[in-house]
């Protein structure tokens, strides 16, 4: 995916040029760095001490990068070798925290972009967590449970030495859900001989997992939409909600949008999308995607009135609220224009960086409310932090209590982004607001802790 990046303000250009020189082919990582550097000019002007302490030069360089071999044997007895990653990007605010992604597209650029985003997202949650990301270029699709288990065990046989409840706490992302976290946790426990609950989040609720962690990213995204709309005296009531993806984020965004009076009409996967004018049946979607691990076309086959559109994205449908929840760069300029032409009111990024920079420009120019992933999808990692808190205190909070806390955190995340944008003269620009608010928190911690 190639995107055109606009010229940066002079104050940050040399830092960006250095990042390009050091990481020349890492397009997704460069895109993520560019977006942050493009936003934080006002913060740098207000804090000349950041430049003296080299905050920018340090924040764009991971504290530690780990790459490792993951050998495993498939069901036919054939030896396979994948590449594993853990990028420990920044620990100024707390232990490294961020998910693991298992997907064939995973490479160093993808993991670094995700790790970089995670620094500011985690700062926005206010939960005292640093930023990291990891994963492997392993494709769990079509693999048996036994193969996934052996892969997870081999992955953890290396990763265990780099993580710990006070060091680095991985969780899920694309391709890593409850099943994988179970196998990873089991292997960590066996190797270390410690039942160290807080070393991973997204665990089963029967053995240390937090209530609402499964639902948190999707629920949180919809709570963020509520907040954006409320600023303008609007609500979700009767709004058509277009969701892409059909994984953990999409399923629970659809679920919560429906509970709050919206009409979620789409879901998708890499083969196409479904449109269901009666509203997506979340139980059917869950059954197909989480239990049967089927393709999205199966939804239309089993649901009267629903239609499958092959090889296309849902953005040409008439949508009031778009929640892209599939993957990075899934909304390009043409998709954004189609959404604007269809009268979209708000776009909230459930996935990490699903809009290209050109798409974001289209939304900005059209006055669409635009919530960037690092604010909108922060509810997932925030609830992971709640899981860590419960593990540390050997506590288990109820679903209602946990959802109430998530609701409060998303209100705070929105307020932090909104207030920072207003403070720096860019009211309504959540990209600038989220980046400025998140950056400021990390930069202040780095400043206080010295040159490390
Ligand atoms: N992978 C999720 C994210 O992008 C969650 C990370 C976590 O819970 O640590 O934020």
């Amino acid at each position: 995916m190639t995107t055109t990046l606009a010229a940066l303000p002079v104050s940050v250009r040399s830092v960006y040029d250095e990042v390009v020189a050091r990481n020349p082919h890492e397009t997704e990582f460069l895109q993520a760095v560019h977006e942050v550097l493009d936003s934080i000019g006002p913060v740098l002007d207000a804090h000349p001490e950041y430049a003296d302490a080299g905050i920018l030069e340090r924040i764009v360089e991971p504290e530690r990068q780990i790459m490792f071999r993951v050998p495993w044997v498939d069901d036919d007895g054939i030896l396979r070798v994948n590449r594993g990653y853990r990028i420990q990007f920044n620990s100024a605010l707390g232990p490294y925290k961020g998910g693991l992604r298992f997907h064939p597209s995973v490479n160093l650029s993808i993991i670094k972009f995700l790790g970089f985003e995670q620094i500011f997202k985690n700062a926005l949650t206010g939960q005292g967590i640093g930023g990291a990301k990891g994963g492997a270029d392993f494709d769990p699709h079509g693999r048996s449970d036994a193969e996934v288990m052996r892969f997870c065990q081999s992955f953890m046989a290396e990763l265990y030495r780099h993580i710990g409840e006070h060091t680095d706490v991985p969780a899920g992302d694309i391709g890593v859900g409850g099943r994988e976290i179970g196998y990873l946790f089991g292997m960590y426990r066996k190797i270390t001989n410690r039942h160290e609950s807080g070393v991973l989040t997204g665990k089963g609720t029967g053995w240390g997992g937090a209530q609402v962690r499964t639902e948190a990213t999707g629920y949180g995204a919809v709570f963020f939409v509520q907040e954006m709309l409320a600023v303008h005296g609007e609500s979700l009531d009767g709004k058509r909600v277009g969701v892409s993806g059909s994984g953990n984020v999409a399923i629970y965004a659809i679920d919560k949008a429906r509970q709050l009076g919206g009409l979620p009409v789409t879901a998708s996967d890499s083969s196409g999308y479904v449109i269901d004018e009666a509203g997506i049946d979340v139980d059917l979607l869950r059954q197909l995607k989480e239990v049967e691990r089927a393709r999205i076309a199966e939804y239309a086959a089993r649901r009267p009135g629903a239609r499958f559109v092959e090889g296309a994205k849902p953005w040409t449908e008439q949508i009031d609220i778009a929640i892209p929840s599939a993957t990075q760069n899934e909304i390009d300029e043409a998709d954004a224009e189609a959404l604007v032409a269809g009268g979209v009111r708000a776009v909230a990024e459930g996935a990490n960086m699903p809009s290209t920079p050109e798409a974001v420009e289209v939304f900005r120019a059209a006055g669409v409310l635009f919530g960037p992933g690092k604010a909108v999808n922060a509810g997932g990692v925030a609830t992971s932090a709640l899981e860590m808190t419960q593990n540390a205190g050997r506590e288990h909070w109820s679903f209602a209590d946990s959802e109430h806390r998530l609701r409060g955190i998303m209100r705070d995340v929105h307020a932090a982004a909104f207030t920072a944008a207003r403070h720096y003269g860019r009211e309504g620009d959540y990209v600038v607001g989220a980046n400025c608010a998140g950056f400021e928190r990390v930069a202040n911690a780095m400043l206080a802790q010295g040159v490390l």
Side-chain angles (χ1 to χ4, degrees), residues 165-226:
E165 62 180 325
H166 301 299
T167 307
D168 183 356
V169 182
D173 196 80
I174 294 172
V176 178
R179 174 181 62 169
E180 290 75 17
I181 294 294
Y183 295 145
L184 290 163
F185 184 79
M187 191 63 175
Y188 182 87
R189 178 171 63 75
K190 182 172 170 85
I191 296 174
T192 60
N193 197 28
R194 284 164 62 89
H195 198 291
E196 187 188 328
S197 296
V199 70
L200 289 172
T201 58
K203 300 179 293 296
T205 51
W207 43 278
Q211 295 289 344
V212 189
R213 176 61 192 90
T214 307
E215 295 83 356
T217 314
Y219 278 21
V222 176
F223 292 149
F224 195 92
V225 170
Q226 275 193 307

Side-chain angles (χ1 to χ4, degrees), residues 97-99 118 121 133 169 171-173 201 213 352 377 380-381 384:
K97 182 83 197 84
Q118 202 83 42
K121 179 197 307 194
K133 205 82 183 191
V169 182
D173 196 80
T201 58
R213 176 61 192 90
N352 291 313
N377 71 38
V381 75
S384 276

